[in-house]
Amino acid sequence: MNFVPQVATTEISDADLDNVSGGLAAGGSGGLCIETPVASVAADLLAVATPEGITTGTAFHAAAN
């Protein structure tokens, strides 16, 4: 018996390769953190745009010191 795995090769276009490797994307993020002797407040914003659409996310955290 031959236990050597068989491998098939094929050509892939540049557009398909972009999709496999993560594609084309642009993104940005920002954050703000304020600390006082009484409390801490933090907020974050994230946005990523790809050919498939736009994704956004936010986070907010407040804590008393």
Side-chain angles (χ1 to χ4, degrees), residues 38-63:
V38 178
S40 299
V41 176
D44 295 310
L45 174 65
L46 169 72
V48 177
T50 67
E52 288 81 27
I54 297 174
T55 300
T56 61
T58 60
F60 180 80
H61 178 77

Side-chain angles (χ1 to χ4, degrees), residues 5-16:
Q6 300 297 311
V7 177
T9 60
T10 186
E11 290 190 22
I12 188 168
S13 69
D14 287 341
D16 289 337

Side-chain angles (χ1 to χ4, degrees), residues 4-39:
V4 176
Q6 300 297 311
V7 177
T9 60
T10 186
E11 290 190 22
I12 188 168
S13 69
D14 287 341
D16 289 337
L17 185 58
D18 283 341
N19 290 332
V20 170
S21 66
L24 305 172
S29 64
L32 173 67
C33 181
I34 300 172
E35 293 189 33
T36 68
V38 178

